[in-house]
Amino acid sequence: MNVRIMDVKRLAIHDGPGIRTTLFLKGCPLHCLWCHNPEGISGKPQIAAYRQKCINCGECARVCPAGVHFMTVDGHEWRDENCIACGRCEENCLGAALKVYGRSIGIEEACELLLQDRAFYAKGGITLSGGEPLLQPHACRAILENMRRQGVHTAVDTCGAVERSALEEVLPYVDLFLFDIKHMDSEMHRKLTGLGNELILENLRWLSDAGAEIEIRIPVIPGMNDDAANIESTGRFLSKLRIRRVVLLPYHSLAGSKYEALKMANLMPEAQPPARDEMQRLADILQGYGLRVDSPSLRQD
Amino acid sequence: MLNNSFEVHREYLLHQFENPQWLEDSGLAPERLREELEGIAASGKSRLMIRAEAIACILRKARLSLDARSEFGGIIDHQDWMLQLRDRWRNELDAAEMKEIADRHREPMAGKNYDGNADFGHISPDWERLISGGFPGLLADVRKWRAVNEEGEETRGFYAACELVASAILDYLLRVAEAAERANMPAIAQRFRALAEHAPDSLMQAYQMLDLMYILFTFVEGENLRSMGRVDHLLGGLYDADVAAGLSAETMAENTKQFLARLSSYQFCANAAITLCGVKSDGGDATNALSNHIIDVYATMNIYDPKMQIRLADSTPRELIRKVINCIRSGMNSFVFINDSVAIAALRRMGFSEEEARNYLLIGCYEPSVCGKELPCTCNGIINFAKLVEVTMNDGCDPATGIQVGPRTGEPEELTSFEDFMEAYRRQYRAFAESVMEIINNYEKYYYKLNPAPVLSLCFEDCVRRGCDVYEGGAKYNNSSINSIGIGTAADSLAAIRKFVYEDKLLTLDRFAEILRENWQGEELLRRRCIAQAPKYGNGDDTVDAIAVELAALAAETINGRKNGRGGIYRAGLFSINWNIEFGEKTGATPDGRLAGEPFSMNLGASVGCDRQGVTALMRSVSGIDFSRIPNGCVLDLMLHPSVTAGPEGMQAMEGILETHCALGCFAVHMNIFSAEQLKAAQREPEKYASLQVRVCGWNAYFVNLSEVEQQQFILRAEALEA
């Protein structure tokens, strides 16, 4: 069995408790306007090419087995329809200008990747994220089961717009769910992410009833979901569930160069990160519903 | 004393050794003093006696300085005379007995292939004996052993010299006391009288004694004191007594601030360090109330000296570790963490007993040394791992000069496998090591002519008992050290040779050597290939990390335990200080893609910018080395991004990094927390970033005061993090 991944992040400290390694799986049922990992949306292999680092050496064209890369008079060009995500272009690029997303690896290799930093997991563990990891539920289950057997703490970062069966399959092996909530109004949710939110909220209710450990993540996007009404509605909904805590994540628009490198249209909203007192106001609303709230922008060091 | 005296007089206190105001009639005018000293130097007596008489003369007759803003006395107009005397003797020696060896090694050393030297710059005395017996105890001990032990002429000469110096020290203390009285500084007068009469019986007296030792060693006798000892362990009882006597917290904080400011004010680049925490000789935890007090006070001062060395044992309290982490996070990062169990294991392997090993302090930056028993000389020699690659590719020749600096180990065509190349490399390394040891051993034969040291000898019980000078083998352990530098660049270069010459057969070794001699002229694509397509140390890639492990083992097996010239042994170290820049300037282009003259890798780190898999991978790479076989120490420089250190998660991350560092068996680590953006901004607007401290090596500096080359190294490292 294989799993299609896009990245591995080490020394991850915001993807669950302690020091973790996060494995990002490719493919997502949503396409949020503010997405910072646009390479995660499609489930197919993709190339990101950073033009300013390219030195036109032609190595990528030389080593590519699938005819993705070619050199023209205007420099390096590529078409990733036939990309098999073998990674050879990235390995051989003399300018360190290429990144391959969507390598397909075996479960054993995935587990090895995750266990490399095992020495650091005394208070940490591993997290599956993406994209949406639960679009590959069998692979997730296999990895998580392995991690459990090895005594490593497991977390899954999910948007919730997935089959119930996927959640059922992984539940026994997950120590912590990191569950996103984008908007309580389904129409608005569709406008922002491409899908309504009914399935998401049902899945969340189900997880809570099933006794799962849940941490809610709310990306705070100014002008889109940060109005008091939405946050009140969110607080009301969550107060009826078993939630460990809510984390408010302030929006930032630093992923621009990645969109360009992927040749994807950048639909990220033009907005400044929300101000500290704004985040405090939202936190206060949620705390009013008896929820524990945290945010990187509200920290006292 | 004024409340808040440190804050009020901060500028003065941090520079109190600069331009001291000499008290009127407190001593001879400089010209007169120098006349007397020159007379002593020309007396024809033994060099030990000359030094003893000169020291006594300075202590009894040089001018004194006191200032009401400082709680410390003792500044004396030493004129740097003793250092100048030693320089004269050194020049004589270099021109005479050492000439032949110096001539033979001059060009290889100029080419920074290796370096060998005398080392009078890394000492620390028997602090426990000093504190328990005080200055009077030193005199009493000399007299006691003199009566028992005066055998030959040399021993008699030794005791005469030491007794002279021990009395002169007491005279100096009384002179300062009188001057303090005349200058209306009763507290200082009282302390100096007390120190002249008995062992220190208050914390301030003890602090003053530590300060006086610095003055006596570094300024008067002329060897560099490089550890103030395990100050918490040493003075914890006196601290507790102050607390019990009802001294207010404010007064105690002010006293300690004055002390730390005094240490900071020596302004000696690598300064004198304070070792804290760790375990006691019986294995119990040594952290105490004073350990916490010192860190608490230090955290409020915003200074970058003295250096603090935290001996991290399993039993070291979490709370203290968190305090230190918070200091580092708020920009005061003049801390290094030492893995206690590895340091102790390394010392055990060198032959020290368990009890001795547990009571180690750190000389200089991170060199473990047994307190009171060992003269470790931690910076005698340097071997350039990176340049050895170049030399091996050129059959023992330094291509920069055309000089044969090592043995003939094979023309490129003769090295037909990677194993052949590695064998040649090892032979070159061993030959370099022999050269370095030859130089050092020969200098050590003449230490009695260069630096007989009565003050330091007084401070070693074994010297006084045996009647033998500390630089002549009087201490129980008389060791020397050699540091091998550029391990990251060397490992990367060997990996590149293995891949492109022997595996892919992209080019011959001969052609490769030619390209490097021409500094990659016309071969930029190949250079990029060597950078991008060959494995790099520091990324958790075992294929190249294993080479670094081998190089470390090569250093250990070649150097550890070899006999030096003073009846002791050599210790292998892997720290580079900032020699990676200086030696890099004379190191040609290397197979890892580095251009000629560029800095090579520093300490245990990856070649700059080549660690692209983050901190965990770097630590895993480094952990392959067996540090229990590197007794002279080394350090891993970690650059952390602010996003990983902020908030409660950041605290947990840093704690986790330290825990894992120890669990992996690594030796020493220190941290810089910067984004590349921050450092570039500091480069552009230095006025705005005047107080930004960076951990340079085993010490800190203000970033804006570093050279552009040094600044660039930091920026490259921060950028690699964000890759």
Side-chain angles (χ1 to χ4, degrees):
Chain A
M1 191 185 346
N2 279 359
V3 62
R4 197 171 289 283
I5 65 170
M6 66 205 213
D7 211 350
V8 179
K9 178 168 159 196
R10 303 183 180 281
L11 202 66
I13 61 169
H14 296 296
D15 295 338
I19 294 177
R20 311 182 76 79
T21 298
T22 302
L23 184 62
F24 294 86
L25 279 63
K26 205 173 193 297
C28 190
L30 306 179
H31 45 85
C32 310
L33 288 178
W34 56 81
C35 183
H36 291 139
N37 296 315
E39 71 277 17
I41 297 174
S42 147
K44 291 163 36 148
Q46 279 177 282
I47 307 280
Y50 292 87
R51 211 162 262 298
Q52 61 276 34
K53 294 169 108 188
C54 176
I55 63 167
N56 277 309
C57 65
E59 283 289 288
C60 53
R62 184 177 68 82
V63 303
C64 176
V68 169
H69 299 277
F70 45 98
M71 306 306 290
T72 70
V73 291
D74 297 316
H76 168 247
E77 286 296 336
W78 80 103
R79 279 204 292 268
D80 50 26
E81 290 94 57
N82 296 325
C83 177
I84 59 171
C86 66
R88 260 181 254 171
C89 58
E90 182 180 336
E91 268 164 41
N92 286 285
C93 173
L94 295 189
L98 295 174
K99 194 92 171 85
V100 174
Y101 297 111
R103 212 158 53 97
S104 181
I105 61 176
I107 299 302
E108 220 178 275
E109 190 183 335
C111 289
E112 258 169 51
L113 273 176
L114 285 168
L115 290 174
Q116 258 170 23
D117 280 352
R118 187 160 195 179
F120 292 85
Y121 300 160
K123 299 207 175 67
I126 65 101
T127 302
L128 299 182
S129 181
E132 173 51 58
L134 295 178
L135 285 186
Q136 302 180 61
H138 311 307
C140 281
R141 176 242 173 93
I143 293 169
L144 294 166
E145 196 177 12
N146 187 317
M147 295 296 118
R148 252 305 165 74
R149 240 184 295 124
Q150 313 245 20
V152 174
H153 184 281
T154 58
V156 170
D157 191 353
T158 178
C159 71
V162 298
E163 306 269 354
R164 175 68 52 80
S165 57
L167 287 168
E168 281 167 346
E169 191 177 351
V170 301
L171 177 60
Y173 312 107
V174 178
D175 291 307
L176 177 66
F177 281 93
L178 307 170
F179 200 107
D180 288 1
I181 292 195
K182 275 94 171 179
H183 208 289
M184 292 303 292
D185 177 274
S186 195
E187 249 328 287
M188 201 52 196
H189 196 280
R190 183 182 307 276
K191 281 207 185 88
L192 298 176
T193 74
L195 278 185
N197 66 6
E198 287 84 357
L199 177 60
I200 292 171
L201 297 179
E202 266 164 40
N203 276 336
L204 179 54
R205 232 186 250 110
W206 182 85
L207 267 183
S208 170
D209 289 342
E213 287 294 317
I214 305 169
E215 176 177 297
I216 300 291
R217 262 101 188 281
I218 302 178
V220 177
I221 321 292
M224 302 208 159
N225 68 352
D226 65 338
D227 53 290
N230 180 41
I231 301 300
E232 292 272 357
S233 176
T234 309
R236 251 190 322 271
F237 180 77
L238 293 177
S239 65
K240 304 193 182 95
L241 308 176
R242 243 185 93 257
I243 303 294
R244 248 216 215 151
R245 65 170 185 165
V246 179
V247 178
L248 295 172
L249 299 170
Y251 172 71
H252 66 80
S253 56
L254 297 177
S257 59
K258 207 198 281 192
Y259 275 90
E260 204 183 307
L262 288 162
K263 294 196 291 198
M264 287 175 70
N266 183 351
L267 299 169
M268 285 194 301
E270 284 287 330
Q272 289 299 323
R276 193 202 159 96
D277 46 309
E278 212 227 297
M279 296 293 273
Q280 188 61 60
R281 238 179 312 117
L282 303 180
D284 290 343
I285 293 176
L286 292 168
Q287 272 158 354
Y289 286 93
L291 296 162
R292 205 185 121 208
V293 183
D294 244 315
S295 175
S297 44
L298 294 177
R299 290 297 161 53
Q300 298 291 347
D301 257 342
Chain B
M1 167 173 48
L2 257 177
N3 253 357
N4 244 358
S5 66
F6 172 68
E7 286 310 323
V8 171
H9 300 301
R10 190 193 162 95
E11 264 319 290
Y12 165 72
L13 288 171
L14 294 177
H15 298 275
Q16 59 191 285
F17 276 82
E18 283 172 42
N19 302 315
Q21 298 301 300
W22 304 111
L23 295 170
E24 231 179 279
D25 297 328
S26 64
L28 295 178
E31 322 75 54
R32 282 284 297 118
L33 179 70
R34 297 188 82 89
E35 241 177 72
E36 282 207 32
L37 292 171
E38 288 303 328
I40 292 171
S43 69
K45 297 187 185 172
S46 76
R47 290 207 168 167
L48 173 58
M49 193 44 104
I50 288 174
R51 278 176 66 93
E53 289 188 359
I55 290 168
C57 180
I58 293 171
L59 290 178
R60 287 171 172 154
K61 299 187 183 179
R63 295 179 299 177
L64 302 171
S65 174
L66 288 168
D67 191 296
R69 291 170 286 188
S70 174
E71 282 298 308
F72 288 83
I75 294 180
I76 187 166
D77 189 17
H78 54 80
Q79 293 284 310
D80 272 330
W81 193 85
M82 295 291 287
L83 267 177
Q84 289 165 14
L85 178 66
R86 188 173 77 213
D87 279 344
R88 276 187 274 172
W89 287 346
R90 168 72 183 252
N91 290 337
E92 275 172 35
L93 186 76
D94 282 344
E97 293 95 322
M98 285 296 291
K99 184 169 191 323
E100 192 267 323
I101 290 178
D103 283 347
R104 226 175 335 110
H105 295 288
R106 173 162 305 113
E107 296 202 62
M109 293 215 290
K112 301 299 186 200
N113 290 273
Y114 53 79
D115 195 79
N117 212 338
D119 185 1
F120 305 115
H122 292 87
I123 61 120
S124 188
D126 186 344
W127 288 112
E128 283 168 4
R129 191 163 149 269
L130 281 172
I131 293 296
S132 69
F135 290 112
L138 294 179
L139 181 58
D141 269 354
V142 171
R143 288 184 169 151
K144 171 180 111 185
W145 287 105
R146 184 177 196 172
V148 167
N149 238 356
E150 269 186 306
E151 299 170 0
E153 187 190 320
E154 261 179 47
T155 334
R156 275 198 294 277
F158 173 82
Y159 284 118
C162 287
E163 188 169 337
L164 171 60
V165 168
S167 325
I169 291 175
L170 296 180
D171 290 341
Y172 156 67
L173 297 174
L174 290 172
R175 282 180 69 211
V176 177
E178 278 160 22
E181 239 141 43
R182 281 198 304 271
N184 200 15
M185 295 179 204
I188 293 181
Q190 191 267 331
R191 268 176 229 132
F192 273 75
R193 277 195 206 291
L195 288 173
E197 280 162 28
H198 53 75
D201 64 13
S202 78
L203 187 58
M204 268 310 253
Q205 283 174 29
Y207 281 161
Q208 177 66 78
M209 187 172 192
L210 263 53
D211 170 57
L212 285 167
M213 296 321 302
Y214 191 92
I215 292 172
L216 288 169
F217 289 133
T218 308
F219 296 129
V220 177
E221 186 163 78
E223 68 261 326
N224 296 90
L225 174 60
R226 299 300 279 270
S227 171
M228 305 309 275
R230 303 181 65 187
V231 175
D232 53 349
H233 185 46
L234 198 64
L235 306 184
L238 290 174
Y239 173 83
D240 291 341
D242 270 4
V243 172
L247 248 61
S248 75
E250 291 76 31
T251 303
M252 299 194 68
E254 216 42 53
N255 286 347
T256 300
K257 280 187 197 176
Q258 281 267 345
F259 173 59
L260 295 177
R262 180 79 163 188
L263 299 188
S264 182
S265 72
Y266 301 144
Q267 297 279 336
F268 173 64
C269 86
N271 209 286
I274 290 180
T275 302
L276 297 173
C277 306
V279 299
K280 303 190 268 208
S281 313
D282 64 8
D285 194 72
T287 309
N288 58 23
L290 182 53
S291 330
N292 281 280
H293 170 79
I294 288 175
I295 292 171
D296 286 340
V297 168
Y298 189 72
T300 66
M301 293 174 73
N302 210 356
I303 53 180
Y304 60 77
D305 268 324
K307 318 185 293 200
M308 303 276 178
Q309 302 149 334
I310 309 291
R311 285 181 45 169
L312 257 192
D314 284 339
S315 55
T316 303
R318 279 244 119 82
E319 196 207 327
L320 180 133
I321 297 173
R322 288 196 186 121
K323 264 191 222 190
V324 175
I325 289 175
N326 274 328
C327 253
I328 294 174
R329 294 200 297 179
S330 43
M332 284 171 288
N333 62 342
S334 192
F335 287 93
V336 64
F337 295 96
I338 308 290
N339 187 345
D340 220 34
S341 57
V342 170
I344 291 170
L347 290 169
R348 293 282 278 128
R349 283 183 96 132
M350 292 304 273
F352 299 98
S353 73
E354 184 78 31
E355 220 183 282
E356 286 171 336
R358 284 184 188 141
N359 196 22
Y360 76 90
L361 41 69
L362 292 133
I363 295 278
C365 304
Y366 14 70
E367 298 97 279
S369 174
V370 172
C371 178
K373 304 255 164 72
E374 185 190 14
L375 187 66
C377 297
T378 61
C379 282
N380 289 105
I382 304 170
I383 296 177
N384 186 343
F385 270 140
K387 190 146 175 102
L388 274 164
V389 178
E390 205 188 349
V391 167
T392 307
M393 289 175 92
N394 288 276
D395 198 12
C397 173
D398 176 355
T401 56
I403 306 281
Q404 197 70 21
V405 296
R408 309 214 62 150
T409 49
E411 307 252 353
E413 312 83 64
E414 296 172 72
L415 304 175
T416 55
S417 70
F418 184 62
E419 195 33 55
D420 280 353
F421 189 91
M422 280 309 294
E423 191 45 44
Y425 182 96
R426 283 183 212 114
R427 286 181 54 203
Q428 293 292 347
Y429 180 89
R430 289 181 196 121
F432 276 24
E434 292 302 319
S435 293
V436 175
M437 285 189 272
E438 178 183 43
I439 300 166
I440 297 169
N441 288 356
N442 275 282
Y443 267 123
E444 290 182 329
K445 284 199 328 239
Y446 300 109
Y447 274 7
Y448 75 95
K449 271 193 175 195
L450 288 184
N451 200 63
V455 179
L456 187 55
S457 299
L458 274 171
C459 297
F460 275 82
E461 185 169 15
D462 290 297
C463 294
V464 179
R465 192 171 44 78
R466 294 175 182 175
C468 179
D469 186 83
V470 69
Y471 279 106
E472 268 192 88
K476 185 173 177 190
Y477 301 104
N478 300 278
N479 298 331
S480 312
S481 311
I482 298 176
N483 299 300
S484 303
I485 67 177
I487 195 171
T489 300
D492 291 348
S493 296
L494 293 166
I497 289 174
R498 180 175 60 193
K499 177 176 169 67
F500 294 118
V501 172
Y502 297 108
E503 287 171 358
D504 299 354
K505 302 201 202 304
L506 189 64
L507 75 172
T508 64
L509 188 67
D510 194 32
R511 177 70 189 126
F512 209 166
E514 195 184 343
I515 290 171
L516 294 177
R517 284 194 297 266
E518 288 165 16
N519 198 15
W520 305 96
Q521 208 50 261
E523 295 282 353
E524 179 60 13
L525 218 59
L526 174 66
R527 189 178 83 85
R528 293 289 199 123
R529 204 184 282 283
C530 291
I531 292 172
Q533 295 176 0
K536 301 291 180 202
Y537 163 79
N539 293 287
D541 179 346
D542 197 56
T543 64
V544 58
D545 293 346
I547 298 178
V549 170
E550 232 198 281
L551 295 178
L554 178 63
E557 78 208 14
T558 308
I559 291 166
N560 285 338
R562 293 290 301 278
K563 296 205 195 314
N564 67 3
R566 300 179 353 262
I569 54 179
Y570 278 98
R571 306 154 28 116
L574 292 177
F575 58 85
S576 68
I577 316 244
N578 47 12
W579 302 320
N580 62 314
I581 298 177
E582 192 192 317
F583 277 57
E585 279 166 16
K586 297 285 196 197
T587 300
T590 39
D592 63 330
R594 185 185 137 277
L595 291 167
E598 280 185 345
F600 50 71
S601 60
M602 180 164 102
N603 290 323
L604 291 171
S607 298
V608 75
C610 289
D611 46 341
R612 303 199 91 87
Q613 297 297 323
V615 163
T616 59
L618 177 59
M619 286 171 66
R620 282 189 293 115
S621 290
V622 170
S623 70
I625 294 172
D626 181 356
F627 293 102
S628 75
R629 300 180 66 202
I630 310 292
N632 202 43
C634 52
V635 74
L636 175 60
D637 308 279
L638 284 189
M639 178 75 80
L640 298 174
H641 194 270
S643 64
V644 148
T645 59
E649 293 93 354
M651 168 60 82
Q652 217 180 35
M654 289 176 77
E655 275 186 289
I657 285 172
L658 286 175
E659 253 171 52
T660 308
H661 178 264
C662 289
L664 289 174
C666 296
F667 175 60
V669 65
H670 53 205
M671 302 160 190
N672 274 301
I673 304 174
F674 296 110
S675 67
E677 202 33 64
Q678 221 178 340
L679 296 178
K680 287 179 189 166
Q683 237 185 5
R684 284 193 308 266
E685 303 182 273
E687 338 73 53
K688 281 202 188 151
Y689 291 85
S691 65
L692 186 76
Q693 282 188 41
V694 290
R695 187 117 181 108
V696 176
C697 193
W699 65 85
N700 279 31
Y702 289 128
F703 182 75
V704 299
N705 289 343
L706 297 177
S707 72
E708 210 186 303
V709 174
E710 289 171 308
Q711 286 183 347
Q712 198 51 26
Q713 294 290 295
F714 278 97
I715 290 172
L716 287 172
R717 283 165 59 199
E719 281 177 341
L721 260 192
E722 291 159 22

